[in-house]
Amino acid sequence: MKNDLPDLEDTNYKIIQVNALLSYVSNDLVDLSNAVESGNNDDVTMQASYMDDRTLFTCRTALDLIEEIQKDVKACNIPIDEVKKHG
């Protein structure tokens, strides 16, 4: 079995980055979430308009990192599945 596992220290660093990024924009996300839950489209539009480009870029960066973390986890699951088959 070939060892193509991701660097878990790198994966851990990505998780730390996501946590920091989401902490940075948490108030904006909470306000937007509350507006969505209220069901009032005007509130949603107003809250979304308060979010500046930096907030949107931060969210996009966090989502990109989450996607990378998912790939790392999947890359670890495949070898585990192979070990189970042969074990």
Side-chain angles (χ1 to χ4, degrees), residues 25-36 43-44 47 50:
V25 295
S26 64
N27 288 339
D28 289 332
L29 294 176
V30 167
D31 292 342
L32 183 59
S33 177
N34 289 339
V36 169
D43 287 346
V44 172
Q47 288 302 327
Y50 289 149

Side-chain angles (χ1 to χ4, degrees), residues 16-80:
I16 292 168
Q17 286 178 305
V18 168
N19 186 35
L21 289 168
L22 293 179
S23 292
Y24 178 70
V25 295
S26 64
N27 288 339
D28 289 332
L29 294 176
V30 167
D31 292 342
L32 183 59
S33 177
N34 289 339
V36 169
E37 286 181 12
S38 76
N40 183 331
N41 290 339
D42 291 337
D43 287 346
V44 172
T45 302
M46 187 173 65
Q47 288 302 327
S49 70
Y50 289 149
M51 296 174 70
D52 60 9
D53 289 343
R54 186 180 332 167
T55 302
L56 297 175
F57 177 74
T58 302
C59 290
R60 181 71 249 167
T61 302
L63 290 172
D64 290 344
L65 285 168
I66 291 168
E67 187 175 288
E68 290 179 28
I69 293 166
Q70 288 174 322
K71 288 178 185 175
D72 291 349
V73 170
K74 185 175 181 180
C76 290
N77 286 340
I78 292 170
I80 291 170

